[in-house]
Amino acid sequence: MAPLDVSIAVSSTEKKALQSMKKRMTEWPVMPTSVVKSETLDATLLRFLRAKKLNVDKALKMLQGTINWRVVNQVDNILQEVAHQSDCLERVRRVRQAHPRMMSGTDSKGRPIYIERLHYLKDYLRPAGDLTESDLFYFHVYDME
């Protein structure tokens, strides 16, 4: 097992829960490298643990749900598809025009603030508009990745 990433502030209780979660994950048939990259493994698992108040069973269930969602929605293919589709740049331009969003500094804890201006979407999603909900979902996931 890799040593804990020391750049993350972790309590002793969190360390125990993290070690338990990692041990349980070694029993999984396939390690989901797209969700749990080795260089950010501790930070990723701690986010799930903290979200579930250090309950390892609930955190693992949540992580598995995230992995399943990514598989169903083909999240790992989106970056590759955008890079290899010739019409993608025009679609990206149209989506960004229709769906203004931005990063705007950080909050008091240093977390980035992401702003979406959803009220602009109504004109683009009408039947005469040229974007589908699928386009918006696809490029929202692309931007987040």
Side-chain angles (χ1 to χ4, degrees):
M1 208 174 297
L4 185 64
D5 180 352
V6 293
S7 66
I8 304 168
V10 183
S11 71
S12 61
T13 307
E14 289 174 328
K15 284 181 186 178
K16 288 177 187 175
L18 181 62
Q19 289 171 347
S20 174
M21 189 169 181
K22 283 180 173 181
K23 185 174 188 225
R24 298 258 310 269
M25 287 176 67
T26 61
E27 300 165 4
W28 288 7
V30 177
M31 179 61 79
T33 56
S34 63
V35 176
V36 186
K37 295 175 177 68
S38 61
E39 63 271 10
T40 59
L41 178 64
D42 292 340
T44 300
L45 297 181
L46 277 170
R47 279 198 315 273
F48 284 91
L49 282 166
R50 288 171 177 164
K52 295 300 179 184
K53 297 185 167 90
L54 303 182
N55 182 313
V56 175
D57 291 329
K58 289 181 180 180
L60 283 168
K61 184 177 179 180
M62 184 180 180
L63 176 60
Q64 190 61 55
T66 298
I67 293 165
N68 291 341
W69 181 87
R70 290 177 66 92
V71 168
V72 166
N73 290 289
Q74 301 178 351
V75 171
D76 296 332
N77 297 331
I78 289 176
L79 291 174
Q80 294 172 6
E81 288 176 12
V82 169
H84 295 97
Q85 288 183 2
S86 59
D87 69 329
C88 256
L89 291 179
E90 178 58 24
R91 287 174 58 214
V92 167
R93 187 194 64 72
R94 286 196 327 260
V95 169
R96 288 191 174 143
Q97 178 184 8
H99 183 202
R101 59 216 177 276
M102 66 191 112
M103 298 299 287
S104 180
T106 58
D107 69 5
S108 62
K109 294 184 178 182
R111 298 173 296 206
I113 297 171
Y114 179 75
I115 299 171
E116 292 190 12
R117 313 250 338 244
L118 297 175
H119 60 281
Y120 285 99
L121 288 175
K122 65 183 179 207
D123 294 330
Y124 289 91
L125 291 177
R126 290 189 180 136
D130 62 342
L131 296 174
T132 65
E133 287 185 34
S134 178
D135 287 334
L136 295 172
F137 172 79
Y138 185 90
F139 288 105
H140 178 76
V141 171
Y142 170 76
D143 281 347
M144 292 294 105
E145 285 294 303

